[in-house]
Amino acid sequence: RRVGEMACLFNNGGTITLVTLVSPYRADRDEARKRHEDQGLKFLEVFLDVPLNVVQDRDPKGLYAKVAAGEIKGFTGVDAPYEPPLSPEVSLPNQQMTVDECVAVLMDALRRQGVLSGGPADASGLPLPPGFTGNWL
């Protein structure tokens, strides 16, 4: 809930905000969407649609091994629920896509929604801040 509210604050201030976290319950995601819509703000749900076995194979922190060993309980998607979105605006089966392909799909969705339109943009298509005339670091 707090992250959704922070996203609203940034979004309302004109900042494109990507919230990257596991949000296991549809009701929580729906509430974040409603909060944005109530303020006239854009909200796109992006679902990284990856099978659990692929996520377990990618596990850089060894958390799934700890779950399997019984060291961690209540782990989302294993022994705690995860409710996949029913109709996300963007679905990325990223085990079948490169990172660049995922970024291209997301950028295209942002453009179609009018998020990346208007003023000057950099070479990747991202809008430049108002008054920006220099180079990035």
Side-chain angles (χ1 to χ4, degrees), residues 51-90:
L52 182 59
N53 67 310
V54 173
V55 175
Q56 290 168 329
D57 289 344
R58 292 177 176 173
D59 183 23
K61 297 180 182 178
L63 296 176
Y64 286 97
K66 290 180 180 180
V67 170
E71 297 173 29
I72 299 176
K73 301 285 185 203
F75 202 77
T76 302
V78 179
D79 60 348
Y82 177 77
E83 301 168 353
L86 298 176
S87 54
E89 284 77 13
V90 179

Side-chain angles (χ1 to χ4, degrees), residues 11-72:
N11 195 337
N12 198 29
T15 301
I16 297 169
T17 307
L18 303 176
V19 177
T20 58
L21 51 82
V22 176
S23 181
Y25 300 106
R26 278 189 207 108
D28 292 343
R29 297 188 304 266
D30 290 346
E31 183 59 33
R33 176 187 299 278
K34 182 180 181 318
R35 184 79 175 109
H36 277 74
E37 290 172 350
D38 287 350
Q39 296 179 55
L41 302 171
K42 300 269 186 193
F43 181 96
L44 281 77
E45 186 171 21
V46 178
F47 178 41
L48 297 180
D49 188 2
V50 185
L52 182 59
N53 67 310
V54 173
V55 175
Q56 290 168 329
D57 289 344
R58 292 177 176 173
D59 183 23
K61 297 180 182 178
L63 296 176
Y64 286 97
K66 290 180 180 180
V67 170
E71 297 173 29
I72 299 176

Side-chain angles (χ1 to χ4, degrees), residues 1-10 17 19-21 32 36:
R1 191 174 57 81
R2 284 179 258 175
V3 173
E5 189 61 31
M6 289 299 298
C8 281
L9 291 171
F10 279 104
T17 307
V19 177
T20 58
L21 51 82
H36 277 74

